[in-house]
Amino acid sequence: MEQKEFIQKYESELMQHLLRMLTSMELLDGQLLESPDITDKWQEIGQSYIADAVKEIAAYPSVSLGWAMYLGMAVARYWDDDWKIYGKVPNLYEHIRNKRGFDYMDEVVRGEILMLKDEAFDRMEKVVQSCAQQALSRIRHEQIEPQSALAFHVYASSVLVLYRLGAAIELKALGYKFEKM
C-alpha cells in the first residue's frame, strides 16, 4: 500500500472510530456535521497549530492532539457567532492561543469562548482527553518509525480529524443538524 493510501485509510478509520465513540456519548448523531468555512479554515491555521503542537508531543502527546479538538470547537463557535468578523481574522488559532498561551488553550476555549461552566466544563475536558488518548493509541498501534515523514503525516492527519470532530461537536451543541431536503 502506498503511503498516501495508507494515510487516507488511517484517517478514515480514526474518524469512523471516534465518530462512533462520540455518538455513543450522545455528542454527535453518527454523522460529521461540518461547514466548508470551518473545514477550509484549517488551511490557514493548521500549519501554525502543528508548529506549536509538535513541540509538545514528547512530554504531552495527548495535549498536542487534543488541543486541535478545542480549536475546532472554537472555530465552529466563531463561525456561528459572526463569521463576517471572525472569518477575516488572519489566523484564528494564533488569536486563541495568544489569549493565554498554548498551555492554557483548553481553558480559554472551554471557559471564555464556549462559556462552559462547572460540570459541562469538566465533561468536555474528559471528552477531549478520551478522544486524544484514542488517537494516540491508534498512532502507536501503527508502529511507525518515530520522527519519520510517515509519522508526521499520520500525526497531522490525526490532528485534522480531531479538529473536524471538535467543530462537529460544537455545531451539534449549537443546534445544527442534517435534514433531508
Side-chain angles (χ1 to χ4, degrees), residues 31 33 176-181:
Q31 295 178 308
L33 294 172
Y176 291 94
K177 59 187 173 186
F178 283 114
E179 292 184 356
K180 290 184 181 181
M181 302 284 290

Side-chain angles (χ1 to χ4, degrees), residues 34-117:
E34 54 189 339
S35 157
D37 291 333
I38 297 167
T39 304
D40 293 348
K41 198 66 164 170
W42 183 253
Q43 299 305 317
E44 291 177 32
I45 64 179
Q47 189 173 5
S48 55
Y49 174 82
I50 288 175
D52 286 345
V54 101
K55 299 172 195 167
E56 305 294 330
I57 291 174
Y60 305 102
S62 61
V63 165
S64 79
L65 291 162
W67 273 212
M69 205 165 181
Y70 287 123
L71 181 57
M73 292 174 196
V75 172
R77 175 57 66 100
Y78 285 149
W79 178 79
D80 183 67
D81 284 351
D82 194 342
W83 197 243
K84 286 181 180 150
I85 293 172
Y86 290 113
K88 293 177 183 167
V89 172
N91 189 318
L92 270 178
Y93 160 67
E94 291 175 0
H95 170 78
I96 296 163
R97 179 202 62 202
N98 291 346
K99 290 178 184 271
R100 290 184 42 209
F102 186 86
D103 292 346
Y104 295 99
M105 204 170 98
D106 61 326
E107 293 176 8
V108 168
V109 171
R110 284 181 292 150
E112 297 174 28
I113 298 171
L114 303 180
M115 307 299 255
L116 299 176
K117 292 179 176 35

